[in-house]
Amino acid sequence: MFNENLLKIFFNSIIQGITEFLPISSSGHLFIINHFFSWDKMSLALIVSAHLGTLLAVIYYFWKDVKKIFFYGAMEIFKKKKSINNKLFVCLFYSSLPIIFLGFIFKFYNLNNLLHPISISFVAIIFSAILFISDKNKKVKKLNKITFNESIIIGLFQIFSLIPGASRAGVCISAARFLGFNKICATKYSMYLSIPTIFGASFLIILDILKENSLILWLEIFSIFILSFIFAFFTISYFFQLLKKFNFTIFVVYRIAFAILVLIFFI
């Protein structure tokens, strides 16, 4: 039982770390792999720890940008100073509001009926098609050209990530690509946006985790946190190297192939 729990933590850490920032749906992959092995649902403490590991990875990778946007940009609001850092901070704030608001509402409803291999597969195919179409946009706008209205549109798109299989990164990138941002900037904005989104979604649960006094649980929390951080950090790095050579079609093909395999296996 103990070895099986370690195996579950290891696999979930790898999947969470690798899939969180790629447009392929971390929640969908996590559900499928746990369903495949007939593993019990992970505790909320471990799920949040995995997300916090990926959160630390994106903050560490973009530390210079994080300081400029989330610290200097925020302080410039009080100084009434306008800059690109201040603009991005406000845009990310606007983009975060829809998902945090609706996520709080959905917390009181049981959405487990959406967690089914077949529904996840069809959702993955649909949003893969959306990503494919958005990636055809030939405009190459950069983030310094983003408007407040565009940030709200991206935030509204992010709501779809509440549907298992849709992919938070995928819907944000799709929205940004539809709006004309180049693939690197679209990906960066998606990753910047993950910082307030993950933190906002995890904040209340973090307080509950700190009350835990089980040594075994804390070892599991620490393990999944560190492993998720490591895999997420290297995934982000290789993801950008990949985007310099290819577009998002390779992820579209992967998601469709993965969805078809899941349908074949579970139908």
Side-chain angles (χ1 to χ4, degrees):
M1 184 66 181
F2 182 69
N3 288 335
E4 182 180 337
N5 206 35
L6 286 177
L7 189 65
K8 182 168 68 171
I9 288 174
F10 183 70
F11 269 101
N12 278 272
S13 300
I14 293 176
I15 294 168
Q16 177 64 36
I18 292 176
T19 61
E20 176 65 34
F21 301 112
L22 300 181
I24 58 177
S25 178
S26 59
S27 62
H29 279 74
L30 286 170
F31 176 78
I32 295 297
I33 193 69
N34 283 278
H35 191 78
F36 179 81
F37 286 108
S38 299
W39 285 334
D40 293 332
K41 185 179 179 181
M42 288 184 67
S43 68
L44 199 55
L46 293 181
I47 293 173
V48 171
S49 300
H51 279 85
L52 291 177
T54 59
L55 174 63
L56 180 62
V58 76
I59 290 175
Y60 183 69
Y61 186 87
F62 288 110
W63 178 237
K64 290 183 179 179
D65 292 345
V66 168
K67 284 195 299 184
K68 290 178 183 177
I69 298 170
F70 292 97
F71 292 104
Y72 301 146
M75 287 190 293
E76 285 167 359
I77 293 178
F78 300 102
K79 296 178 181 179
K80 296 181 179 180
K81 179 181 177 182
K82 292 184 177 180
S83 69
I84 182 58
N85 296 326
N86 172 257
K87 184 180 182 181
L88 282 173
F89 176 81
V90 175
C91 284
L92 289 166
F93 174 77
Y94 286 155
S95 293
S96 304
L97 290 179
I99 188 74
I100 292 176
F101 177 72
L102 281 182
F104 179 77
I105 293 176
F106 287 168
K107 180 182 178 182
F108 299 98
Y109 293 90
N110 186 0
L111 299 179
N112 287 337
N113 59 317
L114 297 177
L115 286 170
H116 190 279
I118 295 177
S119 64
I120 288 175
S121 297
F122 279 116
V123 168
I125 292 171
I126 292 169
F127 282 93
S128 293
I130 293 173
L131 177 61
F132 180 76
I133 296 169
S134 71
D135 202 30
K136 296 300 179 183
N137 198 326
K138 300 299 181 183
K139 294 181 181 179
V140 288
K141 190 161 58 174
K142 295 186 177 181
L143 284 183
N144 59 357
K145 300 295 182 182
I146 193 171
T147 66
F148 298 135
N149 288 338
E150 288 173 335
S151 69
I152 293 173
I153 291 172
I154 295 173
L156 292 173
F157 258 74
Q158 191 177 208
I159 291 173
F160 290 110
S161 66
L162 292 171
I163 305 172
S167 170
R168 189 205 64 81
V171 295
C172 291
I173 291 171
S174 296
R177 291 292 288 129
F178 275 127
L179 292 170
F181 292 96
N182 68 51
K183 57 187 180 181
I184 299 295
C185 288
T187 302
K188 280 187 175 182
Y189 194 83
S190 169
M191 293 187 181
Y192 295 156
L193 187 53
S194 72
I195 296 173
T197 300
I198 295 175
F199 182 79
S202 306
F203 179 72
L204 294 177
I205 303 167
I206 294 172
L207 298 178
D208 291 332
I209 293 175
L210 293 175
K211 299 175 184 177
E212 294 288 346
N213 55 12
S214 169
L215 178 59
I216 293 177
L217 179 59
W218 272 108
L219 287 173
E220 291 177 345
I221 287 172
F222 181 74
S223 298
I224 199 167
F225 174 82
I226 293 297
L227 288 171
S228 296
F229 165 77
I230 293 171
F231 285 108
F233 179 80
F234 285 106
T235 297
I236 294 170
S237 178
Y238 286 116
F239 186 24
F240 280 108
Q241 292 180 35
L242 196 65
L243 286 179
K244 291 177 182 179
K245 300 178 181 178
F246 305 98
N247 56 24
F248 292 105
T249 302
I250 55 175
F251 297 102
V252 172
V253 172
Y254 167 79
R255 287 185 73 179
I256 292 175
F258 181 76
I260 291 173
L261 285 174
V262 170
L263 287 173
I264 291 172
F265 186 83
F266 287 101
I267 288 181

